[in-house]
Amino acid sequence: MFINKDFFDSKNIHEGSFIVESPSNIALIKYWGKYGVQLPCNPSISITLNNAKTIAKISFERKNKSDDKLDLDFYFEGSHNEKFREKIEKFFLDMKDFFPFVFDFKFRIDSSNTFPHSSGIASSASSMSAFASSLVEIEKRLSESQYGDEYYVSKASFAARIGSGSACRSLYPKMAVWGDSQDVDASTNDFAVIYKDFDLKFEGIKDSIAIVSAKEKAVSSRAGHALMNNHPFREVRFSNARKNLHDLLMALREGDFEAFTNIVESEALELHGLMMNSNPSFILMEPNTLEIIFKIRKYRNETGHPICFTLDAGPNVHILYLKSHESEILKFLESDIRPLCANQIIIHDEMGMGTNVKNS
Ligand code: DP6
């Protein structure tokens, strides 16, 4: 798949550069458990974010002579960063069968994130989707053949998936589904697809991220997914996720925020429940995670405002709410939630338009 037989690097392009911007995303139905080459055990759906993103300038220059060595210079926020460079080098090498030109060029990447590194926001989704798109962009510039948008974005999503599973959903505007599902046309485990069938009410939905702790993740994604391999609730989880996706799609179509809330909160708590019940066991919530959850539920019960929460594999709380109630909810976040956050940090984000590439 995606080994493009029509690709001929015959335009003799010597060099080029461009800027890629790619956002993070927040899953509503979680990807937790994988097999093979980063294939998901259940389908997931996410909202593409807008403000939390990776911005990278990619420059490429043809080598005098092609060899089998990768030549990649990587700068993060202006300085060499060996740890990140090794990750990206591994990613480019993993991609060599799909982008055979990786040995023909020298690459320089100057990357930065719009969110603080220590905010606990996962950077792998935004960065891997940015670097995967860069490879497709270079392929497109080198290729003689016509390049369809659908091929471009699916190949970028496919490549991003191999870099980091959840990254494959960041390419698309608004919402994306990744993983085989009877409920979504053309869905596949290989890459994510756009999901458009939601009520206008959810358009521009907000995600304010309450930073409870800015410490490094206590459990890496890889170790976390591995906990599902022998998990006692493995099969129950995968069937729940499928049912939750089915029900959530209905809530999205019907604009039913109450049903949306029940499913999204249950997914977040199930993810944490799975971690608490795994061997070894992890408790990734902190006391203030629970405090914030209680406050959100109390506020919702008292006001009826459309607000709910979800969690990643960490203590920070993603507070989701409809744009229609933004001004009232922002007041609540300021008075009740900000004091519970580490260094009083809340990062305001919202539904965004996915990856974008422009000339530098
Ligand atoms: C809890 O995509 O970070 O955020 O494929 O190992 O890179 P790897 O894992 P990753 O896992 C994300 C898990 C999650 C849920 C989700 O985003 O669906």
Side-chain angles (χ1 to χ4, degrees):
M1 179 179 284
F2 291 120
I3 299 183
N4 188 353
K5 295 193 195 65
D6 299 331
F7 171 69
F8 295 111
D9 175 9
S10 55
K11 279 164 82 183
N12 211 15
I13 287 181
H14 191 69
E15 61 185 12
S17 69
F18 54 85
I19 290 174
V20 58
E21 293 193 7
S22 199
S24 192
N25 68 75
I26 179 68
L28 303 173
I29 303 295
K30 309 292 180 183
Y31 147 58
W32 199 241
K34 60 180 169 181
Y35 68 96
V37 186
Q38 209 104 278
L39 294 162
C41 294
N42 64 263
S44 57
I45 182 168
S46 59
I47 298 171
T48 302
L49 296 179
N50 192 47
N51 305 333
K53 59 188 172 192
T54 294
I55 303 178
K57 179 175 176 192
I58 316 289
S59 315
F60 56 101
E61 186 187 329
R62 199 176 283 277
K63 290 180 186 168
N64 292 333
K65 218 169 119 236
S66 179
D67 49 29
D68 56 1
K69 288 202 193 75
L70 190 72
D71 193 334
L72 173 76
D73 217 1
F74 182 79
Y75 294 82
F76 183 70
E77 286 168 0
S79 320
H80 272 284
N81 185 313
E82 199 41 35
K83 196 172 131 206
F84 288 176
R85 199 193 69 81
E86 278 170 20
K87 267 196 177 167
I88 295 159
E89 182 170 294
K90 180 180 177 307
F91 174 61
F92 272 46
L93 289 173
D94 286 346
M95 289 292 111
K96 67 182 187 321
D97 291 340
F98 308 104
F99 302 96
F101 57 80
V102 292
F103 296 125
D104 301 339
F105 289 87
K106 292 184 199 170
F107 301 94
R108 177 184 163 127
I109 301 181
D110 290 272
S111 181
S112 59
N113 293 334
T114 56
F115 46 92
H117 182 54
S118 56
S119 65
I121 296 186
S123 60
S124 66
S126 58
S127 59
M128 284 302 169
S129 54
F131 304 140
S133 299
S134 304
L135 288 171
V136 183
E137 178 66 23
I138 298 171
E139 178 180 312
K140 180 182 172 186
R141 290 179 180 214
L142 301 179
S143 179
E144 295 270 14
S145 48
Q146 284 289 331
Y147 229 88
D149 289 348
E150 200 179 324
Y151 182 82
Y152 184 113
V153 74
S154 337
K155 185 163 182 179
S157 175
F158 167 84
R161 177 204 106 212
I162 294 173
S164 174
S166 57
C168 74
R169 299 183 307 235
S170 278
L171 281 296
Y172 297 92
K174 301 181 185 182
M175 287 191 191
V177 168
W178 171 38
D180 271 331
S181 163
Q182 284 181 345
D183 296 303
V184 181
D185 285 347
S187 58
T188 159
N189 284 351
D190 295 320
F191 50 87
V193 295
I194 190 167
Y195 187 75
K196 291 183 184 165
D197 197 6
F198 57 87
D199 187 89
L200 259 184
K201 192 185 260 187
F202 291 100
E203 190 68 58
I205 188 170
K206 303 281 169 181
D207 177 12
S208 291
I209 309 161
I211 306 299
V212 172
S213 162
K215 283 194 226 127
E216 283 261 324
K217 286 205 249 176
V219 52
S220 71
S221 297
R222 184 188 297 185
H225 288 284
L227 297 174
M228 288 309 291
N229 291 342
N230 296 308
H231 200 287
F233 302 142
R234 182 184 159 85
E235 294 315 318
V236 179
R237 163 60 195 156
F238 300 146
S239 78
N240 277 356
R242 280 181 192 281
K243 179 172 185 320
N244 284 345
L245 178 64
H246 175 87
D247 294 349
L248 183 72
L249 296 179
M250 196 144 72
L252 286 171
R253 279 194 297 270
E254 291 176 356
D256 183 344
F257 196 83
E258 198 181 326
F260 174 92
T261 296
N262 288 338
I263 300 160
V264 167
E265 293 192 350
S266 150
E267 271 289 311
L269 296 174
E270 188 161 309
L271 171 72
H272 281 254
L274 288 164
M275 283 184 273
M276 290 188 219
N277 284 293
S278 60
N279 183 11
S281 144
F282 292 94
I283 300 178
L284 300 186
M285 290 195 248
E286 304 248 346
N288 278 357
T289 311
L290 281 175
E291 191 68 28
I292 291 173
I293 290 175
F294 289 145
K295 292 245 182 206
I296 292 170
R297 288 188 164 176
K298 182 162 178 277
Y299 174 80
R300 185 172 65 230
N301 288 339
E302 286 171 2
T303 63
H305 289 163
I307 181 170
C308 65
F309 70 85
T310 187
L311 304 164
D312 257 341
N316 300 331
V317 185
H318 286 251
I319 305 173
L320 303 172
Y321 51 99
L322 296 182
K323 214 171 143 186
S324 53
H325 288 67
E326 183 178 6
S327 59
E328 302 93 301
I329 289 176
L330 282 177
K331 284 185 208 135
F332 159 70
L333 298 184
E334 283 307 312
S335 60
D336 288 52
I337 305 297
R338 194 181 287 285
L340 297 168
C341 296
N343 301 320
Q344 310 242 332
I345 298 177
I346 298 183
I347 297 181
H348 294 295
D349 211 331
E350 62 193 348
M351 181 183 263
M353 296 306 287
T355 309
N356 130 359
V357 175
K358 55 187 183 222
N359 283 326
S360 60

